[in-house]
Amino acid sequence: MRTFVGRGRARALAQPVASLIADAGEAANAVEDGATTTMAASLAAMLASDGTSLFSVPGYAWIDGVDGARDAAEVGSWVSGVGPLQFTVGYARCAGVQVETATSTQRQLVTSSFDAANWAPVVVDFDHRGGFITGDYNAITQVTLQMLALLPAGHCRVRVVDPVQLGKSADFLHRLGDAGESVLGNRIETTAPGFVRLLEELEAHITYVTRKFLQGEFSSLTDFNLAAGEVAEPYRLVLIYDLMTACERSPGNPDPDLWIRLQKIINAGPRCGVFVIGHAAQIPPDVQEHYLDSLLLMHEQPSDDWIRSVFGEVVESYHGEGPIRSVEPRWVTRGLSPLADATLAALRGRITGAIRSADDVVVTPAESARVARAKSEREQGSSVPGRMAIDPDDPLTWWKGNSADGIAARFGRAGARDVAELVFASDTRSNALVAGVPGSGKSVWLHSVVMDLVLAYSPVELELYLVDFKEGVEFNEYARKGLRHARVIAIESDRDFGLSVLENIDREIERRGVLFKASGGRDVNIATYRETTGEAIPRVLLVMDEFQKLFERDDRLATRAGELLDRIIRQGRAFGVHVLLATQTLSGHDGLKRHTLQQVTTRVALRCSVDESRLILAENNMDASLLSRPGEGLINYAGGNKDANVRFQATFWSPDARAQALDQISKLLDAAGVGDIPWVFNGAEPVPARGLADLVRGSNPNRTLALPVGMPYLIGQDALMRLRRVAGGHGLFLGTESWAEVNSAAVAALVDGAEVRFVLAPTDDLEIENAFEEVLGLGATPVIRSRVSEAFNELAQVVRERHDATRYRDRAIVFAVPMLHRMRMLDLTDYANEVVEAAETILKDGPEVGVHLILGVDGVAGLDRRLTSNQLREVGVRVTGRLSREDALRLLDSDQPSGLKEHELYLDDMEAGTARRAQRFERVPPQEMFALLTSATDSEHHGE
């Protein structure tokens, strides 16, 4: 409700009071002619003047109001916003006046019965008085719901203390459903320790509001909000049920310390937007006098003879001249009438609807850019030199940023007029930590940061590592669009890959250290290096979502990851290397040392619990628990210090807008020839085939063939089947997809210039048959089933001839058998088989003269039916999918293949003594693979 003065009601009250004065004068036999009339007129004039002058107590006013929310229609017409917080808490009427005459030092009480029309609403101005005490549950419910309905959604937080009913008293808030949880939070205090903790939080909050908002300039938070045009900081409404019990140390034993702490909140809270409503059937006079004198006590008495002043001892008396020395009205109070069901439903509907609408608050990229431009015009630039304003819809404004002194992501709106910035520089703002529960908008925030950065800075200025450890799709779009700013994009990464990313960045820091030292000494940083050398070395930003997965097990990997991350955070800033760590929770994960996180002074908190807010921000900073909307958060550059909180709403990039911008980025960078396709790791899917175009294999048909198996699992490694001209230089693919992998290896060998002889296995699968035909169409020589024995004997003869002529650098010959398990004539375990002698010649002597076998078998059983253990020993490069632990140990002397995922391979190069995981490439037709590998080879040769 909004306060207004009803003169009609004031006049209606004036006449009965004047009549009482006359009665009092006559009873005292001390009224001179005309004195009563003059007194009545004077009092009536005061009552009618502005409705408040009778009572000079700030915070109380008579208004021509209604009993709370009158009906559903009225509730529907309310407009929420910033305004005075004045609410009807009950009713009062004048039950009599107490007069003092000139002839008597005794005061006389004259009473009269007024009809119901003379009840006047009692209004509490919360900004001044801060609350009231009542025995009327209904009054607490109505005032709370009206405050929630009239303030902007999300800008009134209710905290409840309920030591007797244990939360039941707040049922009216629970009936708001999800909106009630948003308003009430996840905790109701029912114990003395909980009440103390709440008071401590409120004390800290009052201090924060005083410093942050009032600053000696504004008398109250509402004054500040009115000046700002919005609710900058949510109000706190504290409901304390069974007040006397809540403040007991033990049953019947009041806790003076608790009362004193509560008194501090009651006295200091109103100006900072902290209000208290207490529930109590009775308040002892000494408690009222010592601790609650600032609050209005509204109690309904059953007997009419209970008459008291609503306004305590500070009711202003009317001091007249003449026979009547003073007049003091006496008032009786009553509570609010219960609201009709329809009105209650309308109130709840308004609150829940407003909160849901507030959850839909969207700051578009265009709006964020507009706010950023306005700030740049006001302040002549950004907090980071070199950061320029951009228009997300105008590519001509993109990539104007210079990262020499740092990078700044303008990721949303702060308040009504400011832009929210995340800065990474070589000072204390070098790294950042963000946390938010599911649904808090962490993904929205991450997208807002990444998208702004890739529009503001070119790949020459910025290099990203995007690593996501959870089963999500946060970085999928960047991978599919081939974001050139990204060196690595990992989706559903696992701990091994995450560790390899850290190792790679650590190596980059070491590399830059050597460069910087060579350019000018020990104190060189990225800015001075760029200035000295003119080399636009980019800043590196590692974004790790759900980074705590690295530390979920207490093992050697977690220890190593902790050491690397600590070093990167400590040393990286001077070399232009920064880290952004994101998580849903920091609770329960102690693998990363606390001192490492303490070095990260930039904290970003989205909606989370009180305990989580203390972890991500600071022990005394619970403000993140008060956030409600997705994408709403706090950024803090002071290690979580409460005074440094800046509230923001993150920019929302819709999937369509993001896709369009990324397409435009790729188009422009392709045209300019800038940037490389990122290394994409997806633990749940095969690698896109386009990654074949970026492989650097160093394959040579006259020396070593390096055939792609998949994408390396770890940065800094490769996943190539190297067929060397040494013993063991044959390859084996084991698994149900082995035919396709042999096909791919044969295509790669053709691209490299090797001669490929390809055995056509019998199959009724049209896909396999077509794939074989495509390999032959690319230049492979077919070996039909009836000529297999002959082909083996011919190849064995080639091996012998090359050895005899010492032709060790002749063109490589690859003999590909994609489905060995279906070739009975190649059962090499049967020494009666005429092909065994030729096969063993090739197995033992072929690699030295460039003759290699590439075999495909569908499983271990098929392998056992075709090769003896001695023959298998000559196959030095083995690639498998998932195996049983027993088979893995027998074939590879490792149990790692037993834990492989669907799209993973295990590459064991026995001759080189290396074993590693890799991801399969997606299956593509041989002709497409040939084109991709040819492109990669041409680029490789061009680079030479």
Side-chain angles (χ1 to χ4, degrees):
M1 296 175 60
R2 294 296 176 257
T3 299
F4 58 95
V5 176
R7 296 180 183 274
R9 175 62 61 85
R11 293 191 183 97
L13 288 172
Q15 187 57 47
V17 173
S19 297
L20 280 179
I21 293 171
D23 292 343
E26 292 172 1
N29 293 318
V31 182
E32 297 180 355
D33 291 341
T36 300
T37 304
T38 302
M39 181 74 70
S42 179
L43 181 58
M46 284 196 305
L47 283 169
S49 63
D50 62 5
T52 61
S53 60
L54 177 62
F55 305 109
S56 62
V57 183
Y60 300 134
W62 296 109
I63 69 167
D64 187 13
V66 294
D67 193 354
R70 181 163 46 197
D71 55 39
E74 179 182 315
V75 171
S77 68
W78 286 356
V79 177
S80 64
V82 183
L85 298 175
Q86 299 167 340
F87 294 91
T88 301
V89 300
Y91 282 82
R93 66 179 176 85
C94 185
V97 293
Q98 193 165 25
V99 298
E100 183 180 347
T101 67
T103 59
S104 174
T105 58
Q106 299 270 327
R107 289 193 175 194
Q108 286 186 288
L109 181 63
V110 179
T111 63
S112 178
S113 296
F114 291 176
D115 58 35
N118 291 309
W119 286 99
V122 178
V123 175
V124 173
D125 184 341
F126 278 74
D127 290 316
H128 290 89
R129 281 298 172 184
F132 63 98
I133 307 293
T134 181
D136 181 12
Y137 284 100
N138 179 52
I140 299 175
T141 298
Q142 288 193 39
V143 170
T144 302
L145 291 179
Q146 289 182 62
M147 189 176 291
L148 291 171
L150 283 166
L151 284 169
H155 288 85
C156 180
R157 306 287 187 229
V158 181
R159 298 300 301 271
V160 174
V161 180
D162 194 12
V164 177
Q165 297 295 324
L166 304 180
K168 190 176 187 306
S169 302
D171 276 355
F172 71 96
L173 290 173
H174 296 147
R175 293 191 186 102
L176 296 174
D178 292 342
E181 292 183 11
S182 174
V183 168
L184 190 57
N186 57 5
R187 192 171 69 198
I188 291 177
E189 306 300 350
T190 60
T191 64
F195 190 14
V196 170
R197 183 170 58 246
L198 171 59
L199 294 176
E200 290 173 348
E201 293 173 8
L202 293 173
E203 287 174 4
H205 177 71
I206 289 169
T207 302
Y208 165 67
V209 171
T210 301
R211 293 178 180 175
K212 178 75 174 177
F213 298 104
L214 305 186
Q215 299 177 337
E217 182 179 354
F218 298 95
S219 62
S220 70
L221 183 60
T222 296
D223 287 343
F224 176 88
N225 291 335
L226 287 167
E230 66 172 2
V231 178
E233 177 68 21
Y235 294 94
R236 270 66 165 176
L237 180 60
V238 185
L239 310 181
I240 308 174
Y241 291 94
D242 294 286
L243 175 60
M244 299 304 297
T245 301
C247 294
E248 287 180 340
R249 181 177 296 159
S250 60
N253 183 20
D255 186 340
D257 293 337
L258 198 53
W259 278 111
I260 291 171
R261 299 196 81 148
L262 177 59
Q263 182 187 37
K264 290 168 60 178
I265 302 301
I266 291 171
N267 292 339
R271 61 189 174 85
C272 297
V274 177
F275 311 127
V276 175
I277 300 178
H279 168 265
Q282 283 187 325
I283 297 293
D286 60 327
V287 171
Q288 177 188 345
E289 179 181 354
H290 286 99
Y291 306 116
L292 304 176
D293 59 330
S294 296
L295 296 181
L296 167 66
L297 269 64
M298 281 289 298
H299 284 84
E300 185 176 3
Q301 272 307 88
S303 60
D304 287 339
D305 62 352
W306 183 79
I307 299 174
R308 48 158 298 148
S309 169
V310 175
F311 307 102
E313 296 300 322
V314 291
V315 173
E316 179 163 323
S317 299
Y318 177 78
H319 296 284
E321 300 292 337
I324 297 179
R325 297 174 62 92
S326 65
V327 176
E328 184 176 326
R330 287 297 193 182
W331 306 90
V332 63
T333 64
R334 68 172 174 84
L336 297 174
S337 302
L339 296 179
D341 290 343
T343 307
L344 270 175
L347 271 173
R348 292 188 183 116
R350 179 183 177 84
I351 294 166
T352 56
I355 289 176
R356 291 193 187 103
S357 297
D359 286 346
D360 296 332
V361 169
V362 173
V363 176
T364 65
E367 181 182 354
S368 185
R370 177 188 59 77
V371 174
R373 285 194 300 272
K375 180 181 180 181
S376 295
E377 292 169 2
R378 289 195 310 270
E379 301 181 7
Q380 301 300 312
S382 167
S383 57
V384 174
R387 167 67 208 232
M388 302 296 159
I390 63 168
D391 182 344
D393 298 320
D394 183 4
L396 294 177
T397 66
W398 299 355
W399 304 330
K400 305 294 186 183
N402 182 306
S403 65
D405 293 305
I407 55 176
R410 293 173 171 173
F411 61 83
R413 188 184 67 202
R417 302 184 334 127
D418 209 349
V419 65
E421 273 190 338
L422 177 66
V423 174
F424 295 97
S426 296
D427 54 23
T428 58
R429 302 168 298 172
S430 53
N431 305 287
L433 176 66
V434 58
V437 299
S440 64
K442 177 163 63 70
S443 298
V444 169
W445 184 82
L446 285 173
H447 285 311
S448 69
V449 169
V450 172
M451 288 303 299
D452 186 74
L453 286 174
V454 299
L455 295 182
Y457 302 95
S458 76
V460 175
E461 299 288 338
L462 173 66
E463 183 177 88
L464 296 173
Y465 288 73
L466 305 177
V467 181
D468 185 0
F469 284 98
K470 69 177 184 299
E471 296 179 3
V473 294
E474 309 315 333
F475 300 144
N476 249 344
E477 188 75 12
Y478 306 117
R480 281 190 280 110
K481 300 296 183 181
L483 178 63
R484 305 297 201 278
H485 292 73
R487 169 90 183 274
V488 172
I489 301 176
I491 302 156
E492 289 195 40
S493 179
D494 72 357
R495 300 170 75 234
D496 287 319
F497 186 80
L499 178 64
S500 77
V501 171
L502 294 177
E503 289 174 333
N504 188 73
I505 291 177
D506 187 55
R507 287 193 294 270
E508 175 63 13
I509 290 175
E510 291 180 358
R511 185 186 75 85
R512 291 188 177 197
V514 173
L515 286 176
F516 289 9
K517 186 176 181 180
S519 71
R522 296 175 56 186
D523 297 329
V524 175
N525 58 32
I526 184 171
T528 55
Y529 176 81
R530 288 178 55 148
E531 183 180 1
T532 301
T533 65
E535 180 184 352
I537 187 170
R539 289 206 177 245
V540 174
L541 176 61
L542 166 63
V543 181
M544 281 190 138
D545 195 11
E546 301 308 321
F547 75 94
Q548 78 281 358
K549 294 286 186 181
L550 277 169
F551 307 101
E552 63 185 2
R553 291 200 292 271
D554 185 14
D555 57 10
R556 191 175 302 173
L557 188 151
T559 300
R560 175 63 175 158
E563 293 170 351
L564 288 169
L565 194 54
D566 184 76
R567 184 155 64 243
I568 292 168
I569 287 173
R570 280 190 295 106
Q571 300 179 3
R573 63 184 183 182
F575 303 101
V577 178
H578 311 282
V579 178
L580 170 55
L581 301 176
T583 182
Q584 292 180 7
T585 176
L586 288 174
S587 302
H589 297 287
D590 300 324
L592 183 60
K593 302 302 182 184
R594 182 172 293 275
H595 71 81
T596 300
L597 291 181
Q598 287 173 345
Q599 297 176 71
V600 182
T601 57
T602 301
R603 304 297 178 93
V604 179
L606 296 113
R607 178 168 53 84
C608 55
S609 67
V610 170
D611 291 339
E612 200 66 43
S613 181
R614 285 172 162 158
L615 284 173
I616 187 68
L617 294 173
E619 182 63 29
N620 68 337
N621 195 344
M622 292 77 69
D623 286 8
S625 66
L626 303 173
L627 301 170
S628 59
R629 294 191 299 265
E632 181 186 24
L634 302 171
I635 184 168
N636 188 302
Y637 283 111
N641 186 297
K642 187 180 177 71
D643 291 344
N645 286 348
V646 175
R647 192 183 300 267
F648 65 80
Q649 182 68 42
T651 303
F652 175 71
W653 280 84
S654 69
D656 288 344
R658 197 164 63 244
Q660 290 173 10
L662 292 173
D663 283 338
Q664 186 69 10
I665 288 173
S666 295
K667 180 180 177 181
L668 294 173
L669 291 178
D670 282 344
V674 176
D676 298 320
I677 296 293
W679 183 337
V680 175
F681 175 92
N682 188 333
E685 297 179 2
V687 178
R690 67 169 181 267
L692 290 164
D694 297 315
L695 287 179
V696 176
R697 298 186 285 124
S699 194
N700 188 325
N702 301 108
R703 293 183 180 276
T704 298
L705 293 177
L707 311 177
V709 168
M711 281 296 284
Y713 198 82
L714 303 180
I715 298 174
Q717 294 183 350
D718 59 48
L720 300 171
M721 174 180 277
R722 285 190 166 83
L723 301 181
R724 303 175 184 85
R725 298 199 175 198
V726 296
H730 304 288
L732 168 69
F733 290 97
L734 188 65
T736 56
E737 299 289 316
S738 59
W739 66 268
E741 288 151 358
V742 172
N743 271 17
S744 298
V747 170
L750 287 169
V751 171
D752 294 341
E755 178 189 346
V756 175
R757 303 179 185 184
F758 195 86
V759 177
L760 296 174
T763 178
D764 55 3
D765 188 312
L766 185 60
E767 180 189 7
I768 297 175
E769 184 178 325
N770 289 338
F772 288 171
E773 290 296 328
E774 282 195 38
V775 174
L776 300 181
L778 293 171
T781 302
V783 178
I784 60 176
R785 184 176 184 182
S786 60
R787 289 198 67 252
V788 169
S789 295
E790 181 182 346
F792 260 82
N793 286 320
E794 289 177 357
L795 192 58
Q797 182 60 31
V798 170
V799 170
R800 286 190 285 269
E801 290 175 356
R802 288 188 174 187
H803 272 286
D804 291 343
T806 64
R807 301 202 310 268
Y808 299 114
R809 292 292 178 263
D810 277 10
R811 179 189 179 198
I813 299 174
V814 171
F815 196 87
V817 187
M819 302 179 79
L820 178 63
H821 52 283
R822 292 197 176 184
M823 309 293 292
R824 289 187 178 180
M825 70 289 298
L826 291 180
D827 179 2
L828 304 185
T829 64
D830 181 5
Y831 281 92
N833 190 339
E834 61 180 9
V835 80
V836 171
E837 183 179 350
E840 290 191 340
T841 296
I842 297 168
L843 283 169
K844 292 179 181 178
D845 301 328
E848 293 183 15
V849 291
V851 177
H852 309 281
L853 298 179
I854 300 180
L855 310 175
V857 187
D858 66 350
V860 174
L863 182 65
D864 290 340
R865 289 196 300 270
R866 295 291 179 261
L867 296 178
T868 67
S869 58
N870 286 333
Q871 292 163 351
L872 182 60
R873 195 172 292 117
E874 300 297 333
V875 182
V877 186
R878 305 174 188 181
V879 180
T880 75
R882 185 165 51 225
L883 299 175
S884 69
R885 186 173 185 275
E886 293 75 12
D887 288 340
L889 288 170
R890 179 166 67 89
L891 291 175
L892 304 167
D893 197 27
S894 170
D895 64 355
Q896 285 196 42
S898 63
L900 295 179
K901 299 177 184 176
E902 179 182 0
H903 303 292
E904 290 180 347
L905 297 170
Y906 187 79
L907 170 62
D908 190 342
D909 189 333
M910 295 184 174
E911 295 305 315
T914 61
R916 59 195 51 163
R917 282 190 292 174
Q919 283 184 283
R920 300 178 193 269
F921 283 109
E922 64 178 338
R923 191 189 303 169
V924 295
Q927 289 182 349
E928 182 179 343
M929 182 175 185
F930 186 89
L932 290 167
L933 288 173
T934 300
S935 171
T937 301
D938 290 345
S939 298
E940 188 176 342
H941 291 163
H942 179 73
E944 294 174 354

